[in-house]
Amino acid sequence: MSITERDKKYVAGTYNRFPVEIASGSGSVVYDTAGKRYIDLGSGIGVTAFGIADPLWQQAVTRQIGLVQHMSNLYYTGPCVDLAEMLCTRTGMSKVFFSNSGAEANECAIKVARKYQAEHKGPECSTIVTLKNSFHGRTLTTLAATGQDHYHELFTPLTPGFLSVDPDFTELPDPDRVAAILIECIQGEGGVIPLPQDTVRRIADYAAAHDILLMVDEVQTGNGRTGALYAYMNYGIHPDVVSTAKGLAGGLPLGATLLSEKVSGTLGFGDHGSTFGGNPVSCAAALSVLSRIDDSLLASVREKGQYLMDSFMDAPGVESVSGMGLMIGIKCRRNAGDVVREALSKGVLCLTAKDRVRLLPALNIPMDILKEAVDILKECIAG
Ligand SMILES: *Cc1c(COP(=O)(O)O)cnc(C)c1O
C-alpha cells in the first residue's frame, strides 16, 4: 500500500494532507521522496525557526540527548532553568511554566487568571474575554477561548466562562466578573490580521482600569516571527501573562507561559504540572533558538518582511497584503487553496489562513531563495 493509503487506513482523518511525502531538507529547502525540491515558506506552521536540520540547532539537541533526554520535574535540569532565566531576562517577565504546546501554554494562562482573580477579586470573577476570529488551540478549554463558532460545532459543552467580543473592542464588555482578556496581537489562523495600535491600547487600558489581567497569545507571533522578540513589544504594552510555543524550540514540542511579577506567585506546589514540560532536549533546542534571535536577526526579519510586502502589494492578482515581519497574509483574487496547490506543484510550500495565502518562512531564509520563491508565487497568484 502507498503511504497515502496507509495514512488513510491507520491515521485519524483530521488532516487534509497534500499528496507529498517530505523526506529530508536543509534550511529553507526540502525534498520529497521522489527527490523533488521545494522552497519552504511555511516552516511547519512557524515552527522551524532556523529551517530544517539546522546545524547549530542539531548540535544543541544531539549534545543534550547524549547527556540526559528526560528527567521528571521532581529533579532539577540545567536547560530548563537556563531557558526560564533567558526568557525572563529578555522580556522582563518574572517566572515561566513550561508545557509542550500552544494549547497547553494557553491552558496554563487561563488557570493562572482564574486562580489569581479567585484570590483577589473573588471566585465569581472568572470570565475570560477573548476576541472574535481568534484562535487559541484545540483542547476543550482553548476551543472555548477560540472566537470562531465553526471550531465548536459538535464538541459542546465546552468549558464555561468565556466571552468573545468584537475585535475592534469599541463595545467594552461589562468588566464585572472578568478575570482576564486574552488576545493575539496578530490573528494568525484568523487570516494574518494585525490588531491596530489604538485597539491594543484600548484593550490594555480597559484591563488596567478594572484590574483585569492582560494576556497575550504569542504562540504564532512569538520568538522573532514579527521582527520583535514577541509581537506585544511592537505595541508598547506590558502583558501580565504571555503564552508561546510553535517556533520556541525550532521544531521540538515546547510551550511556555511567561508570568509577570504581579502573577508570578499564583501557581504553587501541585497547582499545575506536566510530565514532559521543560524537557531538557526541548529546552536545549530553545536556548539555541533564542540565543540566535538577536537585534541583527530581528532587523533582517523586518527587512525580509518589508521585501515580501513590497513584492506582493501591487502584484497582479493581489487584493491586499497584511502582516508583520515574516508573518504575511496575501488576499488574492484567486482562491487561496488553488494558489497554494499550484505553488506546491511548482516547488513552493506555503499555507492558507481563512481566505488568504499565508507565509511563515524560516527567520533565516536566505534572500536569494526567498526571491526565487516570491517569483514562483507571484506567477501562481497572477493565475
Ligand atoms: C497554533 C496556535 C495555537 C495552538 O498551538 P498548538 O501547539 O497546536 O496547541 C494557539 N494559539 C495560536 C495563536 C496559534 O497560532
Side-chain angles (χ1 to χ4, degrees), residues 100-104 106 135-138 184 189 217 219-220 245-246:
N100 313 283
S101 66
E104 285 173 281
N106 285 333
F135 182 83
H136 298 295
R138 303 284 200 157
E184 298 158 272
E189 302 305 310
D217 179 342
V219 173
Q220 190 162 156
K246 287 199 167 87

Side-chain angles (χ1 to χ4, degrees), residues 107 110 114 128-131 134-149 151-152 155-164 182:
E107 289 267 348
I110 293 160
R114 291 258 167 92
I128 313 287
V129 171
T130 65
L131 301 185
S134 58
F135 182 83
H136 298 295
R138 303 284 200 157
T139 63
L140 287 169
T141 294
T142 55
L143 271 185
T146 292
Q148 301 188 58
D149 291 341
Y151 285 110
H152 299 171
F155 295 112
T156 52
L158 303 176
T159 307
F162 288 85
L163 171 70
S164 64
L182 173 64

Side-chain angles (χ1 to χ4, degrees), residues 24 41 50 65 113 117 120 164 179 195 234 252 301 365 369:
S24 66
L41 299 186
F50 288 93
I65 282 179
Q117 297 296 19
H120 285 77
S164 64
L195 296 185
N234 295 314
L252 285 176
V301 166
I365 186 169
I369 292 183

